[in-house]
Amino acid sequence: MVRKLSFLLIVVLLMTAVMPSLLSAQTPDDTTLVIAQSVDVAGLEPASVNSRAEANIFFHVFATLFEIADDGSLSPYLATAYSISEDGKEWTFTLNEGLTCHDGEALTAEDVAYSFDRAFDPANAFTGNTAGFVFPSIGFQGTRVEDDLNVTIITDRRQSENNRLALISEVYIHCKDSYAAMTLEEAAQNPIGSGPYRLVEWVPDDYILLEAVEGYTLRETAFKTHYWRVIPEASTRVAELIAGNVDVIANVPPDQQAAIDTSGVATVQAVAGTRRIYVGFQFGENFADAPGYEALQKTEVRVALQYAVDVPTICATLLGTQCERASSMVNPPNNNPDLAPYPYDPAKAEELLDAAGYPRNADGVRFETVLMGPRGRYLNDANVVQAIGQYLSDVGVKTTVDIREWADYRQLVGPKEVGPMFFLGTGGGTWSALYDMTDLSSPTAGTNYTNWQNEDWFALWNTLGDVTSPEEEREKINALLDIFYNDPPWLLLYFQPDFYGVSNRLDWTARRDEWIVIYNAKLK
Amino acid sequence: MTQTPVTTLQIDQLAPQYSEWRRARDSLVKARFPILALIILGLLVFLTIFGPAIAPKDPNRQTLVDRLLAPLQPNTQGQVIYVLGSDVMGRDVLSRIIYGARVSLLVGLAAVMIGGALGTSLGVIAGYFGGYIDDIIMRIADIQLAFPFILLTIMVLVVLGPGVLNLVVVLGVAQWVTYARIARGQTISVRAKEYVEAARSMGASHLEIVVRAILPNIVSPLIVIASFNVASVILSEATLSYLGLGVPEDVPTWGKILAESRDQLLAGKWWLAVFPGVAIMLTVLSLNILGDWLRDFLDPRLRGNR
């Protein structure tokens, strides 16, 4: 009796997991590609994009001046060439001729300038990647239209060429007339792009349907339609892939990879990702009354906590792979070779916490704090957050774990309302140390989520524009990373390994930087 | 031969001393299944009270290197520590189920007590006074009934946030309508009885009439409903925890343990779903069997059948 009921229970649970998929199941035909991510877009405003999952979709709708590959190589896109002024502060881009936006409007230099200026306009209050990351990183000041095909981007600093070009290549270009005619609310619902795909339909929390733009010449498109589905549950994504309803899924949990590899319909592609996963220590004064805030302001405490977390074990058990702990915010091999990753040494952590003035009390607690984290955004994120909470509690820092659904969590990350400790991952690259470091390009940068104010860092950062040789730049980078290491605003964790489930019918290779660039995917 | 008239008093004296407790015991023995249900529920109460002493490990203690061990599978040091296996964080499933019993029973009983007390009070007031008071109370009940129960609780929990107290209050308040409707109907049927009239004519206050004359005579069906209701509240708690709306991360509940097993079903980690599932099933089944028996036992029409 009990065995029968147990069996019945399992069947019911499996049906619960798979039922939503069955209800919306649609086996894709040869003209349709279906991609499943764990999270939905927050809106359709190109200047508000602030996560890679969103950018993956927007990149297919909006073209950029150049396109960057995960090895750092750049290829022309809307622009064919660029030139740099003598002082290195002004960059002039030459556009292809005959460009149009999806509504048929001609795309000229004026539209490129408008795309930048609109994102920069304080009245619009955009906090996405363009305004929060790209502009502070390049010191954006404005634009100048030279003629129909030439537009100049004006900045306040010199910067390494590759890094600047890569950053500028993250700005989505759209047409002035169509966007000037819409309110911000209307623009957030009606994207009029310049890329190889146009939006057909967005059903929030379900899917986004894109359709290839006829006659688009800048990029080849093998599939007429793209479905970008939102499937928060990892097991449901896996079930959908195995059922043949989805072609690509992101964030395959390690425990379910065998189910995919043995299914005969799909395989797992594992790549060493470049996303920096860390726990941020919040310095913003809006958290001054939060538990543990005062203790976490002390450099000695933040250093001590680095020793408290067993990152290699987290990688081996919860992420299903061996990983070396990060020694900085920079992806290898561009990190400072003199900095060794903090080892797992709880005894040393306790010793340092004692020395910092936080001995254990009668209950064994040094101080209490809260660790916030998301569920469903990063690989096994909620479990990793719980594990970190346990490790911190083990050395006497009683940690309450506060896990929120990503849709709620991301609303707090942008305005820096996460803390006093928070779990986060930010995209990175292997081709430039500075690209990885631009999260902290200024004390007020949108991506300085911890509100870190280290004066030495920002003073040295501001001298990067004066470097005259790669060696000098490297020296400064190492010095910066040394500052970061010794006054850590992050509890350093790992570079996230990425696991994609890919249908056997598809010829597509996953990138290391988490961009799902899939306009060029083909059937085998 | 003369016959001595037998008075009522003499009949009572001649009848065997047959208490309600003895009648209940005999009825239980005869029915058999309710005894099993009582044993299971007794075990549940035992676990609830002595859980911390019995549980082999701290239910929240993670040992990552021991994660996803099957029942009785030795860990990396060759020791069999996890009788019912370990979960995705290396926590002991048995300990989590034992602690989960506390939450389930606490939530089930507390919510039914809140719902029962609130619903019975309002139902008796509505039935006793009638008129516009009855109309107001019962229309409120109708409005609440118009909302799907689970949707209502989800909405309230999203606003209040997860937590055992919030869960108990929400589930309790969600139950009151059932009790109110039954209490009202029963009150209407007894308020015209002679003993109520007698109490009223003797100058008893409304409160005295309700407490001494009405409540004792309508309590049986409410007890039966409550026994079923505990089961449904435990299921609701499991459902809400499964949806992530139940209790905080560090409070293990059966529903949450079940929810955590979702991602492991395809990986064949059956023990993560089966054991909490069986715990829920046995508890709910036991409460339903007991409720069935109680309903029959308290029904005077069926009294002669046992």
Side-chain angles (χ1 to χ4, degrees):
Chain A
M1 177 72 172
V2 170
R3 283 180 64 187
K4 279 183 183 173
L5 285 168
S6 302
F7 176 74
L8 191 63
L9 186 73
I10 289 180
V11 170
V12 169
L13 285 168
L14 278 170
M15 289 299 287
T16 307
V18 176
M19 188 58 78
S21 319
L22 294 177
L23 291 175
S24 59
Q26 40 195 335
T27 304
D29 59 30
D30 288 352
T31 64
T32 303
L33 183 65
V34 184
I35 308 106
Q37 301 190 106
S38 58
V39 294
D40 197 6
V41 298
L44 298 172
E45 167 56 59
S48 292
V49 173
N50 63 10
S51 77
R52 190 56 51 85
E54 290 177 301
N56 286 334
I57 299 169
F58 277 76
F59 178 75
H60 291 81
V61 178
F62 293 90
T64 53
L65 291 174
F66 274 71
E67 181 184 344
I68 187 162
D70 60 350
D71 63 357
S73 59
L74 287 146
S75 55
Y77 199 174
L78 291 178
T80 57
Y82 64 94
S83 60
I84 307 170
S85 65
E86 274 189 23
D87 64 1
K89 295 180 180 177
E90 296 190 0
W91 288 47
T92 301
F93 291 86
T94 303
L95 303 180
N96 283 287
E97 289 187 44
L99 297 172
T100 57
C101 285
H102 292 168
D103 61 349
E105 182 187 346
L107 195 163
T108 66
E110 188 185 18
D111 298 304
V112 174
Y114 176 76
S115 300
F116 278 78
D117 294 340
R118 179 173 175 273
F120 191 57
D121 187 351
N124 291 330
F126 290 128
T127 57
N129 183 65
T130 303
F133 175 64
V134 174
F135 287 171
S137 306
I138 65 175
F140 180 79
Q141 296 295 299
T143 58
R144 187 171 61 243
V145 177
E146 309 295 346
D147 55 41
D148 273 0
L149 294 181
N150 290 285
V151 59
T152 299
I153 311 294
I154 304 163
T155 71
D156 65 0
R157 68 193 69 162
R158 182 190 292 275
Q159 201 168 18
S160 76
E161 199 169 325
N162 216 38
N163 194 33
R164 170 157 295 179
L165 202 53
L167 290 163
I168 287 175
S169 297
E170 293 186 11
V171 179
Y172 302 113
I173 307 301
H174 46 78
C175 285
K176 180 179 178 180
D177 289 354
S178 51
Y179 272 81
M182 291 191 284
T183 63
L184 290 179
E185 291 74 24
E186 289 168 341
Q189 297 296 319
N190 303 289
I192 300 171
S194 54
Y197 284 86
R198 78 171 81 242
L199 178 90
V200 177
E201 187 181 21
W202 174 35
V203 180
D205 297 323
D206 195 351
Y207 66 86
I208 284 181
L209 174 60
L210 305 181
E211 180 184 62
V213 176
E214 280 185 34
Y216 196 83
T217 55
L218 296 178
R219 293 291 183 269
E220 272 186 51
T221 52
F223 291 91
K224 189 181 174 193
T225 50
H226 280 184
Y227 273 95
W228 291 80
R229 290 183 53 189
V230 183
I231 307 180
E233 290 289 340
S235 53
T236 310
R237 288 198 299 277
V238 172
E240 285 279 52
L241 180 71
I242 292 173
N245 297 328
V246 172
D247 292 301
V248 175
I249 63 171
N251 281 359
V252 179
D255 300 324
Q256 298 182 37
Q257 291 169 14
I260 294 175
D261 283 333
T262 57
S263 69
V265 298
T267 51
V268 174
Q269 286 189 21
V271 289
T274 56
R275 176 170 296 279
R276 290 80 49 80
I277 301 289
Y278 63 90
V279 169
F281 300 109
Q282 183 55 261
F283 298 91
E285 288 183 2
N286 49 333
F287 278 87
D289 296 331
Y293 174 85
E294 191 185 324
L296 295 170
Q297 302 310 296
K298 288 193 173 182
T299 301
E300 301 91 320
V301 171
R302 281 178 275 122
V303 169
L305 297 187
Q306 308 286 335
Y307 292 97
V309 180
D310 187 354
V311 177
T313 296
I314 288 176
C315 287
T317 53
L318 297 179
L319 306 182
T321 185
Q322 302 297 322
C323 69
E324 186 178 6
R325 185 177 188 175
S327 64
S328 74
M329 63 203 301
V330 173
N331 272 276
N334 303 316
N335 52 334
N336 182 342
D338 297 331
L339 301 176
Y342 285 103
Y344 173 53
D345 187 347
K348 179 152 187 176
E350 299 227 26
E351 185 186 316
L352 292 174
L353 286 167
D354 284 339
Y358 292 94
R360 285 181 184 265
N361 64 15
D363 296 328
V365 177
R366 298 175 187 279
F367 63 87
E368 295 189 22
T369 190
V370 174
L371 169 60
M372 294 180 70
R375 185 194 303 281
R377 173 64 186 92
Y378 311 111
L379 186 64
N380 256 344
D381 44 15
N383 288 340
V384 174
V385 173
Q386 288 186 70
I388 293 168
Q390 165 99 61
Y391 281 120
L392 296 180
S393 296
D394 285 349
V395 297
V397 178
K398 189 177 176 186
T399 305
T400 301
V401 170
D402 179 3
I403 293 175
R404 314 275 183 98
E405 295 302 317
W406 172 249
D408 300 330
Y409 194 70
R410 71 174 166 196
Q411 307 290 337
L412 303 175
V413 172
K416 305 176 185 178
E417 290 172 2
V418 279
M421 296 177 74
F422 60 95
F423 183 87
L424 198 66
T426 51
T430 56
W431 44 271
S432 164
L434 287 174
Y435 180 81
D436 281 357
M437 296 162 73
T438 42
D439 281 10
L440 301 173
S441 60
S442 82
T444 56
T447 46
N448 182 6
Y449 298 111
T450 63
N451 282 302
W452 193 47
Q453 304 291 319
N454 186 295
E455 290 176 3
D456 294 339
W457 168 282
F458 292 108
L460 188 54
W461 178 269
N462 289 334
T463 66
L464 281 169
D466 305 326
V467 296
T468 53
S469 68
E471 291 74 24
E472 187 188 356
E473 184 178 86
R474 184 69 247 182
E475 199 175 310
K476 290 198 174 188
I477 287 170
N478 286 348
L480 282 164
L481 295 181
D482 200 53
I483 293 169
F484 184 93
Y485 185 86
N486 291 305
D487 178 31
W490 297 2
L491 198 166
L492 292 157
L493 296 176
Y494 50 85
F495 301 98
Q496 178 176 279
D498 291 321
F499 302 102
Y500 297 89
V502 183
S503 165
N504 287 347
R505 76 172 187 143
L506 202 65
D507 179 13
W508 177 76
T509 304
R511 291 169 52 142
R512 285 192 62 190
D513 58 3
E514 273 188 31
W515 282 95
I516 300 180
V517 177
I518 205 157
Y519 61 76
N520 52 3
K522 294 180 175 62
L523 289 174
K524 281 182 180 169
Chain B
M1 196 171 119
T2 56
Q3 283 189 322
T4 307
V6 178
T7 65
T8 305
L9 180 65
Q10 288 168 318
I11 288 173
D12 285 351
Q13 285 168 339
L14 290 169
Q17 292 302 308
Y18 200 65
S19 73
E20 285 295 300
W21 285 110
R22 190 169 165 197
R23 195 167 71 81
R25 187 196 66 191
D26 291 349
S27 171
L28 277 172
V29 169
K30 193 175 175 187
R32 286 197 304 274
F33 275 120
I35 291 185
L36 192 61
L38 269 180
I39 291 171
I40 291 171
L41 292 174
L43 185 65
L44 189 68
V45 171
F46 182 77
L47 290 179
T48 301
I49 297 169
F50 299 104
I54 298 166
K57 296 190 76 174
D58 176 345
N60 289 319
R61 180 73 220 172
Q62 304 162 17
T63 310
L64 290 180
V65 292
D66 288 350
R67 69 193 289 272
L68 296 175
L69 292 176
L72 300 175
Q73 183 183 340
N75 66 4
T76 47
Q77 276 130 28
Q79 301 164 314
V80 176
I81 297 176
Y82 306 96
V83 176
L84 296 187
S86 64
D87 71 1
V88 72
M89 301 300 295
R91 294 170 298 204
D92 182 34
V93 172
L94 175 60
S95 301
R96 290 178 73 71
I97 287 176
I98 289 173
Y99 273 82
R102 307 185 95 192
V103 179
S104 293
L105 205 63
L106 171 72
V107 170
L109 291 175
V112 166
M113 283 170 74
I114 290 173
L118 186 66
T120 303
S121 305
L122 290 171
V124 168
I125 290 169
Y128 182 75
F129 290 105
Y132 71 91
I133 295 176
D134 183 19
D135 286 344
I136 290 171
I137 291 173
M138 297 324 290
R139 290 305 78 76
I140 292 172
D142 290 342
I143 291 170
Q144 180 163 324
L145 277 178
F147 282 100
F149 158 71
I150 199 74
L151 184 64
L152 185 71
T153 50
I154 286 173
M155 281 165 55
V156 176
L157 277 176
V158 164
V159 174
L160 294 180
V164 175
L165 186 61
N166 290 347
L167 194 63
V168 165
V169 171
V170 168
L171 289 174
V173 171
Q175 310 301 317
W176 76 272
V177 178
T178 311
Y179 296 95
R181 289 165 79 95
I182 291 168
R184 173 181 173 271
Q186 292 289 316
T187 304
I188 289 172
S189 71
V190 301
R191 73 179 174 189
K193 298 273 187 191
E194 295 82 354
Y195 54 85
V196 176
E197 287 298 327
R200 190 175 287 128
S201 63
M202 288 171 71
S205 67
H206 291 315
L207 185 63
E208 284 173 328
I209 293 170
V210 166
V211 173
R212 294 190 177 167
I214 294 180
L215 269 181
N217 288 290
I218 67 168
V219 79
S220 294
L222 293 170
I223 289 173
V224 173
I225 292 296
S227 68
F228 288 115
N229 206 207
V230 172
S232 78
V233 169
I234 286 175
L235 276 180
S236 299
E237 180 277 317
T239 306
L240 292 168
S241 293
Y242 188 83
L243 294 173
L245 290 165
V247 294
E249 289 295 328
D250 58 348
V251 179
T253 72
W254 291 343
K256 192 196 285 182
I257 300 169
L258 212 49
E260 289 164 353
S261 75
R262 269 179 303 197
D263 283 348
Q264 298 301 326
L265 287 176
L266 283 173
K269 314 300 182 193
W270 57 269
W271 59 93
L272 299 177
V274 167
F275 293 127
V278 167
I280 293 171
M281 182 197 71
L282 286 178
T283 306
V284 172
L285 197 61
S286 300
L287 284 164
N288 284 338
I289 289 171
L290 207 60
D292 270 340
W293 171 80
L294 207 54
R295 182 191 58 207
D296 294 348
F297 178 74
L298 295 175
D299 189 342
R301 288 168 301 181
L302 298 174
R303 189 161 288 199
N305 295 338
R306 288 182 299 275

